Amino acid sequence: MKVVLAFSGGLDTSVCLKLLQDKYEADVVTLAVNVGQDPEKLEEIKEKAEKLGAIKHKSFDLTKEFVENYVFKSIKANGLYEGYPLSTALARYPIAVRLVKEAHKEKADAVAHGCTGKGNDQFRFDTTISLQDPDLEIIAPVRELNLTRSWEIGYAKEQGIPIPVDIDQPYSIDENLWGRSIEGGNLEDPKNEPPEEIYELTQSPSEAPDPEVIEVEFEEGIPINLNGKKMDGVSLITKLNQIAGEHGVGRIDMIEDRALGLKSRENYEAPAATVILTAHKALEKLVLTRDELKFKESVDSLWADLVYRGSWFDPLREDLDAFIDNTQERVTGQVRVKLDHGSARVVSLESPFSLHEPELVSFEEFGFDQQESTGAIKFQSLQGRIFRKRQGE
Ligand code: ARG
């Protein structure tokens, strides 16, 4: 049997690589996809795969595709799940699509991934794989064999699989250009405060430098310019991760409701995503009507739920995107954001599509005859007044 395994070089997928050979008697082709991690890691991953017995290793840098086809859509949809920027979820889709593509090229009998049976990633992988090729077998050793993390660590030691030294309970970390998630170890218990060592992209807010104002320019809902410099998506997010990270922006510690209904304690670092989504939302408030904003909020929330639960390729996601794209035609303009010891606060907004009419709202100018508003107010209470009258009858 020939299997293509999505391989990150972490504990789960390294254990899978060995198990696929030993327990499933498979020839394994490993596939590593870069979605914004340090590109040097790809070389390390390749060496590890070969050392652990892969018959072939393939790697792809999909960072640009990830940003332009997934992250940009998420920005337009204010992609937050229960308040944090979707990141792992978004990156699973291009990986799963590539996995199926390579399985076809390799004439493989199955694809494999290292997801557990408890998390959300299995929803994203399995759903996407089966939508691309319903006949392709999916092997998920950790889920099928009911493995625990400590069993995996024991097996890794026994099989000579390199694991991070000095940690008996390593965290489960997933990283891409849009964010980094840290779970497991003693973080599982919500009563434990996260130690400083879990953070890599952000500095402690209390040690951040003096506040700094940055400017992001959006064109049709997408960030195109940072501090006066035009940039492609990957460079802009990379740069902003660095600036906002230095100010301690984008640390999130929360209880999350997983697809299966399990509550889990999750930590995230998403400096650029936090700034961009905050700025984008503020700009929308300037250019969209009250009713558009209200309706879009429910669309955004549905969009995020779909993407979180593995349904990127559901037709509804595309339907929602059609509405979202139409609203974004006016989401163009400059937003200045103050980064201040962990917070990102919008301090200035400008747009050619602004619906803010200074002379109408000003305390100093006429704009319209103020007496006209009394009529509108009277009608606002019309039904209430009739109701009270009936009660009194
Ligand atoms: N809870 C987050 C999500 O579902 C993070 C998942 C992280 N995955 C991982 N293998 N560590 O998107």
Side-chain angles (χ1 to χ4, degrees):
M1 176 164 71
K2 191 173 181 186
V3 178
V4 182
L5 166 70
F7 183 71
S8 69
L11 178 68
D12 288 323
T13 57
S14 298
V15 165
C16 287
L17 174 48
K18 271 278 176 208
L19 285 172
L20 284 167
Q21 298 167 76
D22 295 349
K23 291 228 173 4
Y24 295 78
E25 291 169 9
D27 288 330
V28 189
V29 175
T30 44
L31 171 77
V33 171
N34 184 26
V35 274
Q37 306 92 320
D38 182 357
E40 273 176 28
K41 270 195 191 155
L42 279 184
E43 203 38 50
E44 272 171 46
I45 296 173
K46 178 177 188 254
E47 277 166 27
K48 201 165 179 186
E50 282 164 356
K51 191 172 155 251
L52 296 176
I55 58 161
K56 192 196 264 187
H57 179 79
K58 296 181 144 188
S59 51
F60 296 91
D61 191 342
L62 301 184
T63 313
K64 188 171 168 344
E65 179 193 328
F66 169 58
V67 167
E68 293 176 1
N69 298 345
Y70 297 87
V71 173
F72 280 176
K73 286 195 169 69
S74 195
I75 294 171
K76 293 179 180 184
N78 298 305
L80 299 173
Y81 178 75
E82 296 185 346
Y84 84 92
L86 289 167
S87 58
T88 297
L90 292 169
R92 294 312 188 195
Y93 299 107
I95 299 173
V97 170
R98 182 54 62 132
L99 191 59
V100 174
K101 217 184 246 175
E102 294 309 313
H104 290 161
K105 267 196 217 151
E106 293 294 329
K107 299 199 173 15
D109 308 285
V111 289
H113 59 66
C115 302
T116 71
K118 295 188 169 182
N120 302 313
D121 289 327
Q122 54 176 343
F123 283 79
R124 300 153 186 164
F125 272 110
D126 288 14
T127 307
T128 305
I129 294 163
S130 66
L131 285 174
Q132 310 282 316
D133 179 353
D135 300 322
L136 191 58
E137 189 191 340
I138 302 170
I139 304 177
V142 179
R143 179 174 68 192
E144 285 167 23
L145 305 171
N146 249 311
L147 307 182
T148 62
R149 221 165 158 74
S150 46
W151 185 90
E152 289 181 36
I153 293 171
Y155 180 75
K157 283 184 180 155
E158 180 192 303
Q159 298 284 324
I161 298 170
I163 49 168
V165 279
D166 298 337
I167 312 179
D168 276 333
Q169 279 217 313
Y171 305 111
S172 171
I173 292 170
D174 181 68
E175 190 174 356
N176 62 56
L177 195 67
W178 199 231
R180 180 167 177 269
S181 88
I182 315 111
E183 28 172 48
N186 55 14
L187 291 173
E188 277 178 2
D189 188 339
K191 91 173 182 304
N192 296 328
E193 183 177 344
E196 199 54 35
E197 66 175 25
I198 68 165
Y199 302 110
E200 241 174 46
L201 307 177
T202 54
Q203 118 149 295
S204 167
S206 54
E207 275 155 40
D210 289 342
E212 176 181 350
V213 175
I214 55 124
E215 184 181 279
V216 186
E217 182 181 341
F218 289 85
E219 192 175 80
E220 301 195 359
I222 287 165
I224 53 151
N225 189 311
L226 177 63
N227 288 334
K229 237 178 108 185
K230 224 178 158 64
M231 288 185 194
D232 64 88
V234 174
S235 325
L236 191 146
I237 295 166
T238 307
K239 182 80 194 155
L240 190 53
N241 265 333
Q242 184 215 319
I243 302 175
E246 235 180 77
H247 286 275
V249 169
R251 288 188 178 184
I252 298 151
D253 177 6
M254 63 183 282
I255 302 294
E256 175 173 319
D257 295 287
R258 289 192 188 163
L260 284 172
L262 307 174
K263 286 202 183 282
S264 70
R265 201 291 183 79
E266 304 278 335
N267 276 275
Y268 298 100
E269 288 185 285
T274 301
V275 174
I276 290 172
L277 293 177
T278 304
H280 177 265
K281 181 96 199 179
L283 186 56
E284 280 191 336
K285 284 187 150 262
L286 187 68
V287 301
L288 300 183
T289 66
R290 167 169 64 184
D291 291 337
E292 280 180 312
L293 286 168
K294 194 161 183 193
F295 185 66
K296 186 166 184 292
E297 211 158 273
S298 60
V299 170
D300 289 349
S301 144
L302 189 52
W303 191 97
D305 276 2
L306 281 175
V307 173
Y308 182 81
R309 288 167 189 229
S311 299
W312 179 273
F313 292 99
D314 191 285
L316 180 59
R317 200 268 308 153
E318 286 175 26
D319 300 335
L320 299 179
D321 269 333
F323 164 77
I324 293 171
D325 276 338
N326 206 54
T327 63
Q328 298 301 294
E329 285 172 12
R330 285 168 283 145
V331 185
T332 292
Q334 282 97 357
V335 186
R336 279 183 281 282
V337 183
K338 187 179 252 179
L339 310 177
D340 184 359
H341 297 89
S343 81
R345 193 160 39 86
V346 172
V347 291
S348 148
L349 291 161
E350 277 175 84
S351 169
F353 300 100
S354 169
L355 297 180
H356 176 263
E357 196 65 89
E359 69 169 30
L360 281 183
V361 77
S362 169
F363 286 109
E364 305 304 333
E365 290 179 64
F366 284 117
F368 67 94
D369 180 356
Q370 293 183 46
Q371 292 169 10
E372 283 178 7
S373 64
T374 42
I377 296 165
K378 265 188 204 153
F379 282 96
Q380 178 165 298
S381 58
L382 178 73
Q383 296 191 347
R385 277 185 279 129
I386 296 171
F387 168 76
R388 293 276 166 228
K389 196 173 126 201
R390 291 281 179 273
Q391 272 195 324
E393 272 169 8

